[in-house]
Amino acid sequence: MDEKDFALYPYTSGASSYVKSLGIALDRLVTSRAMESARVRGKERVLQAISGEILKPNLSISDEQKILLELLSYPFSRILVSSIDDSFLTRRYCLAEAVASYRLLKTQKLSFLREFASDFGVFPDESETGFKIHFTSYIKMASSLKAMEWKLVNRKLDHGNVNVSKEEFARLLQELIKNRVEHNLPMPVDDELVLACESYLGEIREALEEQKSTFGESEFESVETDLFPPCITHAIANTQAGVNLAHSMRFAMTAFLLTIGMTVDDIMNLFTASPDFDIEKARYQVEHIAGSSGTHYKPPSCSTMQTYGNCYAPDEMCKKISHPLNYYSRKLWFRRRDAQSGKDEHVSEKPASE
């Protein structure tokens, strides 16, 4: 890997060593006028992560200034994320960095992928279709992937090795990248450092709050989102934060939201932050649950949710119902009853002359 690669994959050990060799102190990165372009790009990285996609520049080995800017923007972006110290932002940023790398990696030559993987302690052998990975490395790389096709039991073992395509290998590397980027985040930052970065933090905070409020306030105004059962609320929070849901939970959440009146497009907007988001595949699955095949699927009962480990933090209302839809309908009934009661009290308090 050369300096250009270090800039595109700044979390690698080679990139870290290269940045250290430059001898640029932290206070210079944060305050020096000469580092302003790197700080602006660092802020841009975080803003792009919030919106869903970090865009990598086209670099050549001769672009020394662009390479330096991209390299230094990475540690500054980590400082900004740490200064805000919001778990939603941290997860979303780490995922966006990993996904941006995945999109580059799947276009690289097999020899580059082998060298890249060695930095993570993975040493694959090339095969006719891509790579052969020892099953212990495969388990390490695929442990956080929930889709059934990634389960080891659904993979053919050949003398202890798992065969994967080039694109699958890049996708597995994405998980290792996300874990490495997430390591030590948020970093310890003192008040002085946060104050020095304040001019860059305001726009990020605004974008973050807008993103977090999108689900509850703008897109789904006709749905009472604060009345959802804990399991659905938890699933939505994880989806928006870029956490992979198990297939059973993804189905339950989708079926629930469709049944209470959300549209296919509403739900597609939720899934855009998913690490495995494939717009065509996702739309097919959501439309299928919505009834495109002639059958409109209902969400599973509470007992089924418990069987699959999808029941999360049940509250007092959960003890009185047997289905997530019952939870929502009860909560909605209580809200409407209380609203009507409030109107009646208001009318009774009016003077007789009115």
Side-chain angles (χ1 to χ4, degrees), residues 139-164:
I139 292 172
K140 170 187 174 184
M141 300 173 82
S143 61
S144 59
L145 297 175
K146 305 299 184 183
M148 291 303 296
E149 62 262 29
W150 294 107
K151 302 301 180 185
L152 185 60
V153 294
N154 295 321
R155 293 278 171 168
K156 185 177 179 180
L157 279 178
D158 181 14
H159 296 91
N161 293 314
V162 180
N163 285 297
V164 295

Side-chain angles (χ1 to χ4, degrees), residues 73-140:
S73 72
Y74 176 69
F76 189 69
S77 68
R78 291 174 65 84
I79 292 172
L80 295 177
V81 171
S82 300
S83 296
I84 292 178
D85 191 12
D86 178 274
S87 59
F88 178 92
L89 173 62
T90 300
R91 291 194 299 268
R92 200 167 179 93
Y93 168 75
C94 295
L95 173 64
E97 288 282 3
V99 170
S101 294
Y102 160 71
R103 289 175 178 153
L104 287 178
L105 287 171
K106 65 181 181 179
T107 67
Q108 296 282 8
K109 296 179 179 179
L110 297 182
S111 57
F112 181 90
L113 292 177
R114 286 189 67 185
E115 180 185 358
F116 185 90
S118 67
D119 194 54
F120 293 83
V122 176
F123 304 94
D125 291 320
E126 292 184 25
S127 66
E128 293 181 1
T129 57
F131 291 101
K132 292 187 295 184
I133 319 171
H134 193 266
F135 77 91
T136 55
S137 293
Y138 180 84
I139 292 172
K140 170 187 174 184

Side-chain angles (χ1 to χ4, degrees), residues 168-289:
E168 285 177 328
F169 188 64
R171 178 62 185 87
L172 291 168
L173 286 172
Q174 177 185 312
E175 292 303 297
L176 298 184
I177 294 166
K178 181 167 69 71
N179 292 338
R180 180 173 290 185
V181 173
E182 197 168 6
H183 184 63
N184 289 336
L185 273 183
M187 303 156 40
V189 289
D190 57 31
D191 293 341
E192 185 177 349
L193 184 58
V194 174
L195 184 61
C197 296
E198 192 58 44
S199 61
Y200 304 93
L201 296 175
E203 188 176 352
I204 294 173
R205 290 192 182 101
E206 289 179 10
L208 178 62
E209 288 308 309
E210 181 179 355
Q211 180 64 36
K212 291 168 80 172
S213 66
T214 293
F215 171 74
E217 296 179 10
S218 61
E219 292 182 2
F220 311 132
E221 294 176 348
S222 63
V223 174
E224 304 284 351
T225 59
D226 57 328
L227 305 184
F228 289 175
C231 56
I232 302 299
T233 299
H234 182 64
I236 290 171
N238 279 341
T239 300
Q240 291 226 304
V243 177
N244 264 325
L245 297 184
H247 175 74
S248 58
M249 187 66 246
R250 189 176 298 190
F251 170 84
M253 183 186 80
T254 301
F256 176 90
L257 297 178
L258 287 167
T259 302
I260 65 168
M262 288 190 183
T263 67
V264 170
D265 287 336
D266 289 338
I267 296 166
M268 288 291 293
N269 287 331
L270 280 179
F271 284 131
T272 55
S274 176
D276 286 325
F277 182 70
D278 180 318
I279 187 168
E280 293 183 2
K281 185 177 180 181
R283 181 169 289 279
Y284 170 80
Q285 292 173 339
V286 174
E287 289 179 347
H288 179 75
I289 297 170

